[in-house]
Amino acid sequence: QKEVEQNSGPLSVPEGAIASLNCTYSDRGSQSFFWYRQYSGKSPELIMFIYSNGDKEDGRFTAQLNKASQYVSLLIRDSQPSDSATYLCAVTGTASKLTFGTGTRLQVTL
Amino acid sequence: GAVVSQHPSRVICKSGTSVKIECRSLDFQATTMFWYRQFPKKSLMLMATSNEGSKATYEQGVEKDKFLINHASLTLSTLTVTSAHPEDSSFYICSVSPSGGGETQYFGPGTRLLVL
């Protein structure tokens, strides 16, 4: 079982719609959860982090964490073509190291 | 967030040569930096944790004699790929964590290495 799992996609959503990206993790002792955006050929850019169960909102982005079910999600409201990228879920486990999922490719269509 | 630079951004070298990649933390002193490698369509894999003034900590399966890390100052860490081979061709990315503990990490722009 992979430590951090994401559907590779592509996830295609029309412009203006809500994009929902999901991630599950295996280490129940994980403490911190991150979403990074990576454009093709570029390095990851931090979008959000979440530590506690529930929702955390920042502009058009909402991160949701459910530790009991070991999943974290990212919602992008009013999706724009510029949101088209690969979204990486990352988790800090008991060893305090970041473990990345393989990413979900999002395509926002006009 | 933190501002991180890497140099060079892209390098092409012949098999058997060594390549040095620099990672600089521009807006704070980083006692710890991280080096990752990313192959096409794959996830980022942590190679090693670079510690200022002491030896780097390498992840399992990463050859420390092949990937030399030097963290000589609080703002600079270098990764040297020694005797590079085509299979070392990859995207090398460093990151810094303002908290120093590997929590929130900010990435440099990456270095794309192509070994011919």
Side-chain angles (χ1 to χ4, degrees):
Chain A
Q1 181 186 8
K2 292 181 182 177
E3 294 182 59
V4 180
E5 292 205 52
Q6 295 180 256
N7 188 317
S8 62
L11 173 65
S12 184
V13 300
E15 184 178 6
I18 296 175
S20 178
L21 303 159
N22 300 310
C23 170
T24 58
Y25 59 94
S26 61
D27 184 352
R28 192 169 283 279
S30 299
Q31 300 293 320
S32 307
F33 308 86
F34 304 85
W35 283 100
Y36 286 84
R37 176 175 61 198
Q38 187 175 26
Y39 291 111
S40 180
K42 303 295 184 182
S43 67
E45 172 192 6
L46 180 66
I47 297 176
M48 290 191 68
F49 57 87
I50 185 168
Y51 302 141
S52 304
N53 276 329
D55 295 0
K56 179 181 179 182
E57 186 174 319
D58 184 0
R60 295 188 295 115
F61 299 97
T62 299
Q64 300 174 317
L65 174 62
N66 184 323
K67 289 187 177 181
S69 300
Q70 293 175 240
Y71 86 78
V72 57
S73 62
L74 179 70
L75 301 178
I76 306 175
R77 289 180 298 282
D78 188 24
S79 295
Q80 301 297 310
S82 58
D83 295 327
S84 297
T86 296
Y87 288 80
L88 302 171
C89 171
V91 174
T92 301
T94 50
S96 296
K97 296 177 183 175
L98 265 185
T99 300
F100 284 85
T102 53
T104 298
R105 188 157 65 92
L106 173 66
Q107 292 178 339
V108 180
T109 57
L110 296 173
Chain B
V3 180
V4 184
S5 70
Q6 275 185 248
H7 178 80
S9 58
R10 185 183 299 266
V11 59
I12 301 173
C13 70
K14 293 182 179 180
S15 186
T17 61
S18 294
V19 175
K20 180 185 284 189
I21 302 170
E22 293 185 348
C23 175
R24 291 183 185 275
S25 175
L26 299 182
D27 58 353
F28 77 96
Q29 295 179 327
T31 56
T32 303
M33 294 185 180
F34 303 89
W35 286 97
Y36 292 83
R37 179 169 54 182
Q38 186 179 34
F39 292 106
K41 299 190 185 303
K42 299 293 184 183
S43 184
L44 276 78
M45 297 299 295
L46 178 65
M47 299 176 66
T49 302
S50 172
N51 305 296
E52 189 269 336
S54 64
K55 292 182 179 180
T57 305
Y58 290 82
E59 295 301 300
Q60 190 173 11
V62 178
E63 300 175 58
K64 61 181 179 181
D65 294 332
K66 180 170 180 64
F67 299 99
L68 301 179
I69 291 174
N70 185 289
H71 194 150
S73 78
L74 288 171
T75 59
L76 173 65
S77 175
T78 61
L79 168 67
T80 301
V81 183
T82 63
S83 187
H85 288 97
E87 57 265 31
D88 297 323
S89 299
S90 188
F91 192 37
Y92 292 86
I93 316 171
C94 69
S95 73
V96 302
S97 175
S99 68
E103 293 287 319
T104 305
Q105 293 184 24
Y106 298 92
F107 288 87
T111 297
R112 195 162 299 280
L113 171 63
L114 176 61
V115 185
L116 302 176

